[in-house]
Amino acid sequence: MDDLALARALHVLAVVVWIGGVAMATSVAIPGVRRGDFGSDRLRAFHAIEHRFVWQARSAVLLVGATGLYMVARLDLWDRFRSLDFWWMHAMVCVWAIFAFVLFIGEPLILHRRLPRWVAQDPETAFTRLHRAHVVLLTLGLITVFGAVAGSHGWSIF
């Protein structure tokens, strides 16, 4: 297997783990936490689930970034960022940057400090907003995955 095939395979595998995890959290875990399916202490249930996945997500996001950058540099694809025909390249970088910020800065430095207070004050609103944020992130991720697969096979909306 050549270096580009390996980079592409690792890239796709990491995207599957990352976005698949977001889909599971958004459609299964957070709704279950909101309903109290995992016990009455919803914050504890959320942290138990999140604690088990956060390092998988962080590792996947790092691998996606590293392999993506490698492929762009190795194939000299920088000019694609000058064209709207390759909007999905921009989308991949933007979604990656949003998730990198959330996973490495927002979640540990902001969410972990504020979520307990928000849940204590108004648990319904806190978990509703958390769920909505995940829905937005998942939607952006799925649009980007769709666009990247279709675009890399020649489809364009422009």
Side-chain angles (χ1 to χ4, degrees), residues 79-147:
D79 62 322
R80 288 186 174 190
F81 291 102
R82 292 187 210 146
S83 172
L84 283 180
D85 289 334
F86 296 100
W87 66 270
W88 46 273
M89 296 281 290
H90 303 85
M92 286 193 294
V93 172
C94 288
V95 167
W96 178 86
I98 290 167
F99 273 92
F101 175 82
V102 167
L103 288 168
F104 290 99
I105 296 169
E107 185 264 336
L109 301 178
I110 299 168
L111 187 65
H112 272 269
R113 292 181 182 161
R114 295 188 180 171
L115 187 61
R117 206 170 348 138
W118 292 338
V119 169
Q121 291 172 353
D122 187 355
E124 293 304 320
T125 300
F127 284 109
T128 296
R129 288 183 179 169
L130 184 67
H131 189 221
R132 284 183 186 155
H134 276 79
V135 168
V136 168
L137 292 171
L138 176 59
T139 301
L140 291 172
L142 292 175
I143 290 168
T144 301
V145 168
F146 178 86

